[in-house]
Amino acid sequence: MFQPVPTIREKIKLRLVVPILLITLGIFGSAAAGYVAWLQFRTSPTLRNSEEGLRQQNVALLAAYTQWNVSSGASRAEAEKQLQQAAERRRAVFRSLVRTKPQDALRGLLTAAQEQKLAQSLGTRIDQRTSMTGTWAFRHWDDTARHTSGRRQYIVADNKNVRVVGDDAVLQAIKPAESVTVEGFLVDDRFLAVSIDETQSVTIQPQAATSRKLAVIMGRFSDMLEQSWTPAQVNAFVLTGPASVASQFGESSYARLELSGDVFGWFPLNLNATCNEHTVELAAIAAADASIDYGAYTDVLVLAPHTLSCGYTGNSSFVPQPFQTQDGDVSLTVAYVVTTQAMQTGNYTMIHELSHNLGLDHAWAWECHTEIYAPFGCLKKFEPYSPFAGYFHHTGPHKRRLGWLQNDRVQTITQSGTYHIEPLETASSGVKLLRVPVGANTHEYLYLEFRQPIGFDNDAFGFLRNYGGATGPLIHHEVRNQFAPPDDSSYLLDFTPNLLWNGQPSIGPNDYSDLYNAPLPAGQSRTFGLATLRTVAVSPEGTDIEIQFSGTPCVEQAPTAIFQPASAGLDRSTGQTSVSVQMLVTNHDTGACPASSVVVQPDPALTAGWTVRSNATQLSIAAGQTDAVWYTLTPKEGSPEGSAAYSFTAQNTFDPALTSSANLRLTYRSAAPGKQTIEE
């Protein structure tokens, strides 16, 4: 006779009903142990490794605990054995989920009260809640072949990086912080976050360094074949060749950034190929430790080819991370490239990951099919004309954030008129980037740049030459409001939506080639927010754009800071131990701008010799208003006597180009004789 197969939902109901019936009928003794065994047998591997599977194990464990708690005499030993076995089974499922499906592990947790009660009887057989306090950090991972990317979050504590997993939406929304406290479960090398207290949030600004020194470590996995590349080949590929990473950085930065370094290896990593990037990095840094003085380098690039399908071809730590080496504790920004074809197909992945090492997020684009921009109707994609998607210069907004395009080459437009921009690739002194405010009461801008097939933008595939990328200004959008992406990037907009480079209609929102001809062509106009843009003329020397405003836009300006009074003194002979000073910070934004966030920082030369405490490190200031920061300064042991000037900075949290400084003259006299003096 035909018997219908129970559905998954029916099986789940059955597994939950059975123990309840057993308890109700009062035959819990041997039946409970039988139920636990039955549950283990009947649960399929797929169902077991899921939220529902964990919940089933919770039910079985609590049932076994109840039976053990009421048992006595000879039956208690057997009940204790069953309880321990139930705990081990539940622990195995929980730990597997933490590694594979952390969100399921979160949703299937026992209550804190249940955990505490069970831990009293089971000890380490129950993973117990704990907390960690440290620095919040993340790593970019990238699959450059599939144009996909993501982030992995870490907490850095006691010179160790521990990966944090849990609710992806919560983790992705947290920005790097000076200090966070994470509560949850430490399972091997993963921390399942139940709650996160972000105490001192800061925005990581791109690092506008003029020079960086890179240690390239070539590592070989134990189960991979030896590679034929030599250190000399890798050196030319990364550092010295005409198409190297260093050459791209030099050209894109207008020679403002020099990337130098050395190549080391091959080193045996003493482990088989793995997708755990942090394990690989630690192994590579340890393998090369005797050969490298890590204190002499700012960055590390690990090349460790393998053939695993890890879902990424490279990743970057984005910001410096702590490492313990033979040279002591060091901070290094680390990139890791895993593709086995990197040396044959080109160094695009290396440029991509080392650009993250500079502190840059991706260059993104909105593909909105028939619209230029619709907040809820667009697909997020890599911008095609950037080193994050091909062999190109960095975008204008990224160059501005890195300080490669300074104020003399960036023009903020506040009046209607016609404006000229030169090709972004050339090192001439003309304007390369227009910053156009388009929001009445929002921090919202369009950035206009003009590209030509010059240098690294003269790519082998001819995208700029042949696919419409040089037909007018490329236009990026930047907005900060409740709908803005959490990465604070600028996004390329397609000003010829739904049309391909050859004039044919796009096949749909997944048609990546629709973005190649994103510029606003000559003779055409578009309105975006308060601004109407029209491309007047285009030539190899530049483009002219007419901009008309329909209202008064919100324009962010650099904040100003001043000490009142501008000098202070401390004389220990009078009994003083510290001195207090006040810095006033003013927001000069125009129009109906919302409040701006401003980060204030003391001079590193001052913090080297003085303990600096303040009532705030970040201010929210309304347009046209002034706020105050109070500093208490206490000299450290051995601080030199005399008078010196120190420079404090006030910087727009989201726009590092909007920065100013305030000078404080500080005079110090110690009560102790024979003190060192400051040489001005």
Side-chain angles (χ1 to χ4, degrees):
M1 181 177 177
F2 173 77
Q3 296 290 334
V5 177
T7 66
I8 293 294
R9 183 180 297 273
E10 289 169 342
K11 290 179 180 179
I12 292 171
K13 288 182 178 178
L14 199 61
R15 292 178 181 121
L16 294 176
V17 166
V18 168
I20 297 173
L21 288 175
L22 292 173
I23 294 172
T24 304
L25 294 172
I27 54 174
F28 205 102
S30 60
Y35 164 71
V36 172
W38 174 81
L39 178 65
Q40 181 188 21
F41 174 77
R42 291 296 303 272
T43 305
S44 68
T46 301
L47 185 60
R48 185 164 58 243
N49 193 36
S50 67
E51 173 192 350
E52 198 57 52
L54 180 58
R55 290 186 182 278
Q56 292 177 12
Q57 295 294 341
N58 292 345
V59 170
L61 176 58
L62 293 172
Y65 175 80
T66 300
Q67 172 60 17
W68 170 80
N69 202 36
V70 300
S71 62
S72 61
S75 65
R76 189 168 179 83
E78 178 62 22
E80 183 173 3
K81 178 182 176 181
Q82 295 294 333
L83 173 62
Q84 292 174 353
Q85 290 176 351
E88 292 290 354
R89 285 191 292 269
R90 189 261 177 196
R91 187 169 187 256
V93 172
F94 174 70
R95 289 187 156 232
S96 174
L97 287 177
V98 169
R99 298 196 68 84
T100 60
K101 300 177 181 177
Q103 296 192 64
D104 278 14
L106 271 181
R107 290 190 290 263
L109 288 176
L110 294 162
T111 67
Q114 289 170 336
E115 291 166 4
Q116 187 175 10
K117 181 190 298 184
L118 291 167
Q120 293 173 359
S121 306
L122 293 167
T124 57
R125 288 186 173 89
I126 290 292
D127 288 292
Q128 299 179 41
R129 297 185 190 225
T130 184
S131 64
M132 291 184 67
T133 298
T135 302
W136 187 259
F138 57 79
R139 297 186 62 85
H140 272 288
W141 65 262
D142 301 288
D143 186 337
T144 53
R146 296 178 178 85
H147 285 198
T148 58
S149 68
R151 288 179 179 175
R152 293 186 178 92
Q153 286 71 28
Y154 292 84
I155 184 170
V156 182
D158 299 326
N159 253 356
K160 295 180 180 179
N161 295 265
V162 179
R163 185 174 170 188
V164 182
V165 296
D167 188 328
D168 284 342
V170 173
L171 300 182
Q172 294 283 353
I174 298 177
K175 294 183 180 296
E178 292 180 358
S179 178
V180 294
T181 298
V182 184
E183 181 186 325
F185 300 86
L186 182 60
V187 177
D188 298 327
D189 61 345
R190 307 286 173 93
F191 198 103
L192 180 67
V194 177
S195 65
I196 303 175
D197 179 18
E198 188 181 9
T199 55
Q200 272 188 299
S201 177
V202 296
T203 297
I204 288 186
Q205 301 291 6
Q207 303 172 39
T210 57
S211 65
R212 297 177 76 97
K213 192 170 183 182
L214 175 69
V216 182
I217 303 175
M218 301 188 298
R220 185 173 60 251
F221 292 109
S222 302
D223 57 346
M224 290 288 121
L225 296 175
E226 291 191 15
Q227 300 293 327
S228 60
W229 320 327
T230 66
Q233 288 175 309
V234 173
N235 186 66
F237 200 70
V238 179
L239 295 167
T240 60
S244 65
V245 179
S247 295
Q248 197 278 348
F249 281 7
E251 180 179 303
S252 192
S253 70
Y254 314 106
R256 292 183 182 272
L257 175 63
E258 178 187 8
L259 179 67
S260 62
D262 303 284
V263 178
F264 303 89
W266 296 91
F267 294 100
L269 299 181
N270 298 319
L271 78 160
N272 289 337
T274 174
C275 292
N276 188 321
E277 72 279 356
H278 191 54
T279 297
V280 177
E281 291 165 1
L282 290 175
I285 289 172
D289 203 350
S291 303
I292 302 177
D293 177 5
Y294 288 109
Y297 297 88
T298 58
D299 298 78
V300 167
L301 171 62
V302 176
L303 301 179
H306 63 62
T307 56
L308 301 180
S309 297
C310 295
Y312 62 86
T313 53
N315 57 71
S316 164
S317 68
F318 200 73
V319 295
Q321 300 288 293
F323 293 93
Q324 294 176 323
T325 72
Q326 295 178 13
D327 308 304
D329 295 339
V330 297
S331 291
L332 299 165
T333 311
V334 182
Y336 170 35
V337 173
V338 298
T339 177
T340 54
Q341 288 80 32
M343 291 293 289
Q344 287 86 2
T345 59
N347 54 5
Y348 149 54
T349 302
M350 299 179 192
I351 296 174
H352 182 135
E353 300 307 333
L354 289 173
S355 292
H356 285 319
N357 275 26
L358 300 178
L360 289 177
D361 204 330
H362 290 112
W364 296 109
W366 286 127
E367 169 53 75
C368 307
H369 193 31
T370 59
E371 303 292 332
I372 294 176
Y373 177 63
F376 304 106
C378 302
L379 292 179
K380 180 179 177 181
K381 298 183 177 181
F382 282 151
E383 177 185 338
Y385 297 118
S386 82
F388 293 103
Y391 293 98
F392 296 102
H393 271 241
H394 292 78
T395 67
H398 274 174
K399 292 188 181 191
R400 178 175 179 267
R401 291 182 70 82
L402 286 169
W404 298 348
L405 282 178
Q406 298 186 339
N407 291 336
D408 58 339
R409 299 186 189 184
V410 180
Q411 187 174 1
T412 297
I413 308 302
T414 58
Q415 300 286 335
S416 297
T418 300
Y419 300 89
H420 181 78
I421 46 177
E422 298 180 352
L424 185 70
E425 301 85 359
T426 62
S428 59
S429 59
V431 173
K432 309 287 185 185
L433 187 67
L434 298 182
R435 178 173 176 252
V436 183
V438 294
N441 53 12
T442 58
H443 297 141
E444 185 173 7
Y445 300 90
L446 296 179
Y447 288 91
L448 280 64
E449 66 187 58
F450 181 60
R451 306 288 279 270
Q452 288 290 285
I454 300 171
F456 274 84
D457 273 359
N458 189 18
D459 68 289
F461 299 101
F463 283 114
L464 278 166
R465 295 192 307 274
N466 303 323
Y467 292 89
T471 58
L474 286 169
I475 303 173
H476 297 81
H477 179 231
E478 181 180 273
V479 61
R480 295 188 295 277
N481 57 29
Q482 66 268 34
F483 306 117
D487 46 43
D488 301 314
S489 293
S490 59
Y491 285 66
L492 177 69
L493 300 178
D494 185 0
F495 272 73
T496 55
N498 201 31
L499 286 177
L500 303 182
W501 58 273
N502 57 6
Q504 297 299 312
S506 169
I507 63 174
N510 288 313
D511 191 350
Y512 198 93
S513 59
D514 191 8
L515 292 168
Y516 290 137
N517 66 330
L520 180 64
Q524 294 193 19
S525 64
R526 291 278 188 170
T527 298
F528 195 102
L530 296 179
T532 297
L533 313 176
R534 185 173 73 90
T535 302
V536 177
V538 176
S539 73
E541 289 72 38
T543 182
D544 296 316
I545 302 105
E546 180 186 359
I547 302 172
Q548 296 290 332
F549 290 105
S550 61
T552 302
C554 157
V555 183
E556 284 178 293
Q557 308 281 2
T560 58
I562 186 172
F563 278 97
Q564 287 189 347
S567 61
L570 176 63
D571 187 347
R572 277 282 179 87
S573 65
T574 64
Q576 281 183 289
T577 59
S578 62
V579 60
S580 294
V581 293
Q582 181 189 49
M583 185 172 74
L584 300 178
V585 182
T586 302
N587 177 352
H588 295 281
D589 295 351
T590 63
C593 286
S596 284
S597 177
V598 179
V599 173
V600 290
Q601 294 179 319
D603 193 327
L606 176 64
T607 57
W610 292 66
T611 299
V612 180
R613 295 184 175 87
S614 67
N615 66 325
T617 59
Q618 188 166 319
L619 304 171
S620 179
I621 310 175
Q625 300 299 306
T626 299
D627 204 349
V629 181
W630 283 94
Y631 291 97
T632 300
L633 313 176
T634 305
K636 298 177 182 178
E637 184 66 28
S639 294
E641 287 188 335
S643 178
Y646 299 100
S647 179
F648 289 58
T649 60
Q651 183 181 72
N652 183 292
T653 304
F654 296 99
D655 193 339
L658 302 179
T659 302
S660 64
S661 61
N663 292 323
L664 172 69
R665 177 159 292 278
L666 186 60
T667 303
Y668 174 52
R669 179 183 177 189
S670 171
K675 290 290 291 184
Q676 183 183 1
T677 59
I678 297 175
E679 297 293 338
E680 295 193 71

